[in-house]
Amino acid sequence: MIVGDSSLADGIAKRSLTPPVDYTVVRGRRKTMAVLVRHQAVEVRAPLFVTQAQIHDFVTSHMPWILRKLAHKAEQDAQRPDLRDGGSLYYKARKLRVHFVSAAAERVEVMADEIRIHGRALSPERAGRVLQRWLLAQAREQLPSRTRALAEYLQLGGRLKEVVFRKTRSKWGHCTSGGRIQYNWLIMLAPDAVIDYMICHEVCHLRHMNHSPQYWALVESVCPDHRRYVRWLRTHEHRLWL
Ligand SMILES: [Zn+2]
């Protein structure tokens, strides 16, 4: 056996597997390696003691996963709200074309395949503000009464103190032990069935301030398809974040 030759062959084999993606290495006090894919960037977290070659092997062995993840992120990015004139936005699970209409009065019109944003000198930022004011107005108009009706049906009306709106970074709804339910107005972009599930989720917290089996049994009694909507949110919520 010629050791030199075999190690050379090994080296060539490794190079031919060179990942077609760039990645950055962040070293730290950790025991194992991990690879993260964020948007279109690949990052490897590695302990201080591992060699460059070990990192390379690690990345190579995870390449199918990395490529799948990158493709998935690219697909998600293509579905994010694009508020340029001619861009696109998912509204109630319909992909609508964004159309700017130059007008003094700000308003939003939803057509079959188009969302028209009216305003003066619209930019994507300005259109985003017009759209969000419209979503907040929709939320104010619809969510308190829908919340109140369900709370009363479940005989929890006495515990519901108020419904407020806030755009938080990671949450669609929130319920405090004091009986205040908070919604993120961006949920108005979601299909109505998903909004109903979210209302149900928060109202049921008026009885159970946890996610215990009793809590889920109560959710199930008024929203038997809740698992579907939880899954919908997990899969599609990137379409809603403005
Ligand atoms: Zn909850």
Side-chain angles (χ1 to χ4, degrees), residues 219-232:
V219 169
E220 177 114 18
S221 73
V222 280
C223 184
D225 285 339
H226 58 92
R227 283 181 200 86
R228 231 176 105 191
Y229 303 125
V230 171
R231 215 165 35 237
W232 191 95

Side-chain angles (χ1 to χ4, degrees), residues 103-122:
E106 291 180 346
R107 67 189 177 99
V108 174
E109 257 183 307
V110 178
M111 318 301 282
D113 58 357
E114 191 172 87
I115 185 159
R116 295 183 186 161
I117 302 177
H118 296 241
R120 232 193 284 261
L122 290 172

Side-chain angles (χ1 to χ4, degrees), residues 42-158:
V42 179
E43 185 182 301
V44 180
R45 302 267 171 94
L48 301 168
F49 57 82
V50 298
T51 64
Q52 204 59 46
Q54 284 172 313
I55 292 173
H56 180 91
D57 285 351
F58 181 78
V59 170
T60 304
S61 69
H62 286 79
M63 197 46 70
W65 179 87
I66 292 170
L67 293 176
R68 261 202 319 277
K69 203 87 179 164
L70 283 170
H72 180 66
K73 295 273 184 188
E75 199 182 304
Q76 283 196 338
D77 284 345
Q79 293 183 346
R80 281 178 210 284
D82 174 5
L83 291 182
R84 287 172 297 185
D85 192 19
S88 62
L89 172 76
Y90 276 90
Y91 178 71
K92 311 283 183 203
R94 276 146 58 204
K95 189 179 186 181
L96 304 180
R97 204 167 62 85
V98 173
H99 182 58
F100 287 177
V101 180
S102 178
E106 291 180 346
R107 67 189 177 99
V108 174
E109 257 183 307
V110 178
M111 318 301 282
D113 58 357
E114 191 172 87
I115 185 159
R116 295 183 186 161
I117 302 177
H118 296 241
R120 232 193 284 261
L122 290 172
S123 61
E125 294 70 33
R126 212 178 263 239
R129 285 199 293 275
V130 174
L131 180 66
Q132 291 204 58
R133 274 198 287 276
W134 179 73
L135 292 171
L136 176 60
Q138 304 255 309
R140 283 204 172 115
E141 200 178 291
Q142 298 176 26
L143 300 190
S145 55
R146 281 159 79 174
T147 302
R148 169 74 46 200
L150 183 62
E152 270 158 23
Y153 175 78
L154 293 174
Q155 298 181 329
L156 295 166

